[in-house]
Amino acid sequence: MTVTVTKKPGGITQLFNTETGRVTYKCKAESAYMLLEAFGGIVKFNQKGAIATVTGHITSLESCDVIKKGHSEYKEALLSIISAHKEFAQNVSDSYQKEIQELENKLSAL
């Protein structure tokens, strides 16, 4: 069995089982939001360790809620997702820049 692990914005980790096609999203933060089309809206991970799973057309939630367009919390959740994506992109970019700088420093020391 092969599982691909991908870090996502907002403190979410995606686990993809290449053999079964099962995708599991696990919350590593205290709480988080993620727009997941399989659930028809925004999944609100209510606590650390909350899980959303998609296997084909079957979905399941553990310690999560789905916020659909028109819900009073939808706009706030979407703003939170946008903010998490911006922060994630900045952190990823910074970490790559730092890695590149360290490699360049090693090269210049040769």
Side-chain angles (χ1 to χ4, degrees):
M1 174 172 66
T2 303
V3 176
T4 304
V5 180
T6 307
K7 190 174 182 180
K8 296 291 192 178
I12 304 292
T13 299
Q14 176 185 312
L15 307 162
F16 174 62
N17 184 319
T18 57
E19 291 177 18
T20 64
R22 180 179 178 173
V23 181
T24 302
Y25 299 92
K26 186 169 185 179
C27 185
K28 298 291 186 174
E30 293 302 316
S31 66
Y33 295 101
M34 186 172 196
L35 183 59
L36 293 170
E37 291 183 26
F39 292 92
I42 295 172
V43 174
K44 178 182 179 184
F45 295 84
N46 294 317
Q47 63 189 32
K48 191 173 189 170
I51 296 174
T53 304
V54 180
T55 307
H57 295 293
I58 301 169
T59 59
S60 66
L61 298 170
E62 295 176 33
S63 301
C64 299
D65 296 310
V66 177
I67 302 168
K68 299 205 181 240
K69 193 173 182 179
H71 188 279
S72 61
E73 198 177 336
Y74 189 85
K75 183 177 179 181
E76 178 185 325
L78 196 52
L79 288 170
S80 178
I81 291 169
I82 292 167
S83 176
H85 276 267
K86 286 180 179 179
E87 182 179 323
F88 184 77
Q90 181 64 40
N91 288 338
V92 169
S93 178
D94 286 348
S95 68
Y96 284 130
Q97 290 299 325
K98 183 179 178 183
E99 187 176 330
I100 290 167
Q101 184 64 46
E102 288 173 1
L103 292 170
E104 287 175 338
N105 289 343
K106 286 180 182 183
L107 181 63
S108 66
L110 294 177

